[in-house]
Each structure stands twice: as C-alpha cells, then as structure tokens.
Amino acid sequence: MKKKHILIIEDEVKISRFLQLELEYEGYMITQAYDGRDGLEKALNTNPDMIILDIMLPGLNGIEVCRRIRRESDVPIIMLTAKDTTMDIVMGLDMGANDYVTKPFAIEVLLARIRVILKNNHDNVLDTKVLTLKKLSLNNEQHTVKFNNDVIDLTKTEFDLLKYLMINKNIALSRDQILNEVWGYDYTGDTNIVDVYIRYLRAKIDSHYNVKYIHTIRGIGYMIKDEEE
C-alpha cells in the first residue's frame, strides 16, 4: 500500500524532528518545512495526504498558510500550536483546519487524530458516487463508465484501474503504487501488467474518443488529468 504523505510545517526543529521520527515509525512518509512560505509551496506542490501546521511561523503565519492552501486544496490540516485561546482555535477552524492540537501534546493523541482524519478523508473519496473528468464519468454504485452518454465496456480490473487513477487525478502514480492498490499485496506477477492495462484503457477511452486523459510520466508511471485541448 502507498505510504500516506504528511507535511510538517513547524519552525521548532526539535519538535519537527520528534514528529518526523514518530510518524515515520508509524509508517508515514514525511516532508518538512520550517517557515510559512516554504510550507505553503510544499503544500501546493508535493500533494501531501495531510498537513500538520504550526501557527507561529516565520515568513507567513499558519493562519495565512491555511487560508491560502484552502484556495487550492481540501487536504486535511491539523493545527499544532501553543496558541490555545478560544479566538485562536476558532480562527484556525474558520480558515479551514480540520482539527486543532495544542502544545504540549501527547503523541498518542495526535496519532489517533491523524488516523481518524485520514480514514474519514479516504472513506469520503471512496464513497463518492460519481467521479468525473470533463466528459468522462465513473459511477461507483452502478459500476459503469460513460463518455458523454456513451457507455464504455470495461472489465473489472480496467474499471478498478480507472477508478484509482481518477481518485488520484493530477497526481503522478508509480507502477508499484498502482500495482499495490489495484492488484493487491498478493499479486506475484510482472509489473508490466500495469502497462498492459493502461494500453487497454487508452484504446477504449483516449484513442476511441480522440482525447488525452492518461499521461505517461517519465521515470515515474502514469497520471490521469484533464483533457488537453
């Protein structure tokens, strides 16, 4: 399974390092930033699954970082800060934070909140009835895929692969990530199977309708994104 990626935006090096070690031990992939501007840039460019965000940051404070992230992304955000007044908490939540943890904190509590938010966020994506990408739509309940009103006949594996690509729209996915998520841990075949099924999807969607949704990302794998005009 793909490791969940957590971005820590925290200027106190000791706290950031402590969080890094604890979260890596729990199996998360960690990126760190030590000021608001660098944190904002990484939040918008590294596609994290969650952000742990301090408020008192040099360069750009955490409230402003949160506000700007929310213009572009609904990534879950946990505010982690020593500012614990009601006004600070309300301001952070009003800017779009999902949760608020005050310093000093018990790492077990923070880990529990991370698990809950990531699970709820994942479940919300999976429970989405219809995934859309311009003229392409995938209906989870009916297990159908359409281009405009034209039904596309897909096998179960093709459907699962397209669904995984659409859930992660505009994110470059490696062959190993795709293999783990679509075929599962117990698959012992060649990773070339991913390339084979990508060709199947391209033949049924991109080539058939003269569009370009599925892109090869050199050195990484594949990405599905909005059709190039």
Side-chain angles (χ1 to χ4, degrees), residues 50-53 76-80 99 101 110 113-114 117:
M50 171 175 282
I51 297 171
I52 296 176
L53 175 63
I77 297 173
I78 294 180
M79 290 286 195
L80 181 64
D99 203 350
V101 176
L110 178 61
R113 294 190 180 192
I114 289 171
I117 291 174

Side-chain angles (χ1 to χ4, degrees), residues 112-149:
R113 294 190 180 192
I114 289 171
R115 287 193 296 269
V116 168
I117 291 174
L118 287 176
K119 181 180 184 304
N120 289 342
N121 193 58
H122 180 68
D123 288 347
N124 288 339
V125 171
L126 294 182
D127 288 342
T128 302
K129 181 179 178 181
V130 179
L131 300 171
T132 59
L133 186 68
K134 290 196 172 180
K135 298 177 181 179
L136 186 68
S137 64
L138 182 148
N139 190 305
N140 277 316
E141 291 186 352
Q142 298 176 4
H143 213 267
T144 56
V145 175
K146 293 181 180 180
F147 187 88
N148 282 338
N149 291 320

